[in-house]
Every structure is written in structure tokens, then in C-alpha cells.
């Protein structure tokens, strides 16, 4: 993938760290919301609870995606992770963003007097530290898998592993939500207007909805089928055309069947397509291509006898 290589052992560590942090934070937020009556704290509690459930869904997807190929699924189950990532995006949008928006609008229309915010500030501070720790773990995982000179935004957009990226974006939204919640509670008490607390909840819901839309769009592209990154395709072309029996590579088609599984088909024009050595040449080149990247377990080479010309009108 462009600018990013996933490291599978880091996936469960990142997800489990985020899951543990979010569960503890959710409990603390709901306790604070019950004591203070803060709409923003309720939204934040829902946010953390949804994030906890989402990490569980990602673990399910990660586990199911690692099953071995069988007769029904000869290319394996790698896209299970993409499917569950799409479900996570839907959950974030509906259960996270939707409920937070509803809670905020309800609080604006029917404001409730706020209690002493001291407990909310303590919970938000603790939550920020825990969320920040989870964010650092996810960020380091993305950084370690990012090629030098590639921006993190580019790496995230081009990543074929949604698990770590989802956790990083969830934690980023969580940190932003904590700042919004704290600001909303503070201003509400300073101005004596509880509707501002409800407005903070609406902002939190909007943040979650935006993250969900982005993740859904990324998961959709992966489910439909995305090609390997241009850098990898360029290397495959170089390796193939370096063989003395090859005239040129006319076309390379690829698709990610999972974060660590790329299917590749090459249309290759050989110098002497009638030679008895073509079969051995194909076998030799396919072996070199598989050695180029461990994700290339399925490589197919199609010999063509002449240059492929597009059909005339």
C-alpha cells in the first residue's frame, strides 16, 4: 500500500489497548453524567461505549480474516476485516453520532440544570490521559508502518488495513470530543446556560458522524476491491521486464483480498512466445515476484503473442 505496510502482530495490541481504555472511560463518564446531569457527558459516555463495542467487532473481523483458504473461499477470508470495519463505521454513525446528536438537541430544547462540574472535569481529565495513551499506541503503529517521506494522512487514506486506522481515528475523535465536552461544560456554568452543554453534545455527534462517513467510504472501496499501490506494481514490472526472456509487460492487474493478501495477474509479451522455455520462464519469474513481497501469494502470468491494441471504433 502506498506509504504504509501493516504489521500484523501490532493489530490486536492496538485494538485491545483501545478497548480496555474505552470501557473504563465509559463507566466513569456515565457515573459523572448521572451525578452532574451533563448532556455532553452522556454523549461522551455513549461515545466510549460505542468505541468499546467497535473494538470488539474489529477483533472479530481480525480473527475471521485469518482463516485459511478453503473450497468455498479459495482466496481466503481477508475481506472479513473489511466487512467488519464497514459495520464499525455504521455503528459509529448510528449509535455514536446519532445518539449524541439526539441527546444534544433534546438537551437544547429541554435544558436541565447542571450540577457541580468538578466531577466531570476529573473524569474528562482521566479520560484524556487514557485516550491519549491509546492514541499514542495507535499512532506509533501507523508511524512504524509508514514509508519515510509519506505523510500520515496519505498513509491513512491509502492503508489497506482498516483495523489500526479505525482505532487511530476513533481515538482522535475521542480526544476532540473530550475537549468539546469540557469546553461546553465550562461555558455552560460560566454563563449559566445549560443549552451550551447540549450544543457541545451536538458537536460531538457531528465529529463522530464525520469520522464514520470517512471510515465507511474507505471500507467500501476495500470491499469493492482496490488495486495494490503503484510502487509495488512498478517493482513487479521492473522485476518481470528484467528477465532476459521478456520483451515487455503489457498490463498488470491487482486486487487486495485482505491487508496481507494481494492477487496479481500480469499480461507478458515474451521475446520468443513459441519457445519451449516459456513455461519455465513463467515459473521462474512468478517465484521472483512472490519473493519481492510476502503479500503476493497468488501471482498469475498470462503470455501474449503480440502487443495488445485497443479495439478501433
Amino acid at each position: 500500500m502506498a506509504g504504509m505496510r501493516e504489521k500484523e502482530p501490532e493489530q490486536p495490541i492496538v485494538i485491545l489497548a483501545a478497548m480496555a481504555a474505552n470501557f473504563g472511560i465509559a463507566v466513569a463518564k456515565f457515573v459523572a453524567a448521572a451525578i452532574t446531569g451533563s448532556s455532553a457527558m452522556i454523549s461522551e459516555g455513549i461515545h466510549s461505549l460505542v468505541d468499546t463495542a467497535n473494538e470488539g467487532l474489529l477483533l472479530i473481523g481480525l480473527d475471521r480474516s485469518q482463516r485459511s483458504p478453503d473450497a468455498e473461499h479459495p482466496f481466503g477470508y481477508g475481506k472479513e476485516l473489511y466487512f467488519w470495519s464497514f459495520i464499525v463505521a455504521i455503528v459509529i454513525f448510528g449509535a455514536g453520532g446519532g445518539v449524541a446528536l439526539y441527546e444534544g438537541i433534546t438537551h437544547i430544547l429541554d435544558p436541565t440544570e447542571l450540577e457541580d462540574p468538578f466531577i466531570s472535569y476529573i473524569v474528562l481529565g482521566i479520560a484524556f490521559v487514557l485516550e491519549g495513551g491509546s492514541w499514542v499506541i495507535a499512532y506509533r503503529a501507523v508511524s512504524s508502518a509508514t514509508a519515510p517521506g509519506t505523510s500520515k494522512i496519505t498513509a491513512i487514506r491509502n492503508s489497506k488495513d482498516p483495523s489500526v486506522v479505525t482505532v487511530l481515528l476513533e481515538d482522535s475523535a475521542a480526544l476532540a470530543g473530550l475537549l468539546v465536552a469540557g469546553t461546553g461544560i465550562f461555558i455552560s456554568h460560566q454563563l449559566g446556560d445549560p443549552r451550551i452543554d447540549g450544543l457541545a453534545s451536538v458537536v460531538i455527534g457531528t465529529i463522530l458522524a464525520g469520522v464514520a462517513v470517512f471510515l465507511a467510504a474507505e471500507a467500501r472501496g476495500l470491499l469493492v476491491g482496490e488495486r495494490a499501490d503503484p510502487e509495488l506494481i512498478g517493482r513487479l514490472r521492473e522485476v518481470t521486464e528484467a528477465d532476459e526472456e521478456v520483451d515487455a509487460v503489457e498490463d498488470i492487474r491487482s486486487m487486495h483480498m485482505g491487508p496481507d493478501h494481494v492477487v496479481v495477474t500480469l499480461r507478458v509479451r515474451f521475446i520468443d512466445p513459441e519457445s519451449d522455455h516459456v513455461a519455465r520462464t513463467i515459473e521462474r519469474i512468478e517465484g521472483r515476484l512472490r519473493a519481492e513481497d510476502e503479500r503476493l501469494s497468488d501471482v498469475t502470468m498470462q503470455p501474449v503473442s503480440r502487443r495488445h491494441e485497443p479495439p478501433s471504433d
Side-chain angles (χ1 to χ4, degrees):
M1 94 208 45
M4 189 170 176
R5 277 298 311 273
E6 282 71 23
K7 295 184 178 181
E8 186 176 321
E10 291 183 346
Q11 294 170 317
I13 295 174
V14 172
I15 297 171
L16 288 170
M19 190 175 185
N22 282 317
F23 180 75
I25 293 169
V27 173
K29 287 176 179 176
F30 280 127
V31 171
I35 295 173
T36 64
S38 169
S39 173
M41 287 301 295
I42 294 175
S43 296
E44 275 297 301
I46 294 170
H47 180 181
S48 295
L49 193 63
V50 168
D51 283 353
T52 304
N54 285 340
E55 267 93 56
L57 293 177
L58 287 176
L59 286 174
I60 292 173
L62 189 61
D63 178 69
R64 293 177 66 87
S65 70
Q66 294 173 353
R67 289 182 294 173
S68 301
D70 54 34
E72 291 291 324
H73 300 86
F75 290 112
Y77 291 81
K79 288 198 173 185
E80 281 271 10
L81 182 57
Y82 299 159
F83 168 77
W84 288 102
S85 298
F86 188 75
I87 297 300
V88 165
I90 294 173
V91 172
I92 294 175
F93 187 86
V99 174
L101 286 168
Y102 172 80
E103 176 64 28
I105 293 172
T106 300
H107 202 72
I108 292 173
L109 297 177
D110 184 20
T112 303
E113 192 68 27
L114 293 174
E115 301 294 334
D116 187 348
F118 182 69
I119 294 178
S120 293
Y121 293 146
I122 292 177
V123 170
L124 289 174
I126 295 173
F128 196 87
V129 172
L130 294 176
E131 288 283 9
S134 175
W135 185 89
V136 168
I137 293 174
Y139 182 81
R140 285 178 176 173
V142 171
S143 296
S144 65
T146 301
T150 303
S151 70
K152 298 299 183 294
I153 294 177
T154 299
I156 288 171
R157 289 190 59 87
N158 293 330
S159 174
K160 300 303 185 292
D161 182 358
S163 58
V164 175
V165 169
T166 297
V167 172
L168 179 62
L169 293 181
E170 279 186 347
D171 288 343
S172 299
L175 291 172
L178 290 169
L179 293 175
V180 170
T183 302
I185 293 172
F186 177 78
I187 296 176
S188 291
H189 280 86
Q190 292 300 309
L191 300 181
D193 187 352
R195 292 176 300 177
I196 297 176
D197 181 60
L199 179 60
S201 183
V202 171
V203 174
I204 293 170
T206 303
I207 292 173
L208 290 175
V211 170
V213 170
F214 175 83
L215 290 175
E218 293 298 303
R220 172 186 173 277
L222 292 169
L223 281 170
V224 171
E226 290 187 358
R227 62 168 172 77
D229 66 270
E231 180 185 354
L232 175 58
I233 293 174
R235 294 206 313 269
L236 299 184
R237 184 181 295 276
E238 274 184 35
V239 170
T240 303
E241 292 184 339
D243 192 276
E244 60 184 12
E245 301 291 336
V246 173
D247 182 18
V249 175
E250 291 199 356
D251 186 33
I252 300 178
R253 296 183 181 183
S254 62
M255 180 184 294
H256 268 271
M257 303 302 294
D260 302 307
H261 184 188
V262 180
V263 176
V264 178
T265 299
L266 301 92
R267 289 172 52 85
V268 179
R269 190 171 67 255
F270 291 93
I271 294 176
D272 182 5
E274 305 301 325
S275 170
D276 296 335
H277 303 298
V278 169
R280 288 199 299 272
T281 301
I282 290 176
E283 183 177 352
R284 179 176 67 247
I285 296 175
E286 287 181 348
R288 290 173 181 172
L289 296 180
R290 293 189 183 96
E292 186 70 19
D293 195 301
E294 61 185 10
R295 295 171 294 176
L296 301 175
S297 57
D298 289 290
V299 179
T300 302
M301 189 169 296
Q302 298 177 347
V304 292
S305 58
R306 58 185 177 83
R307 183 178 300 276
H308 178 69
E309 299 289 349
S312 58
D313 294 334

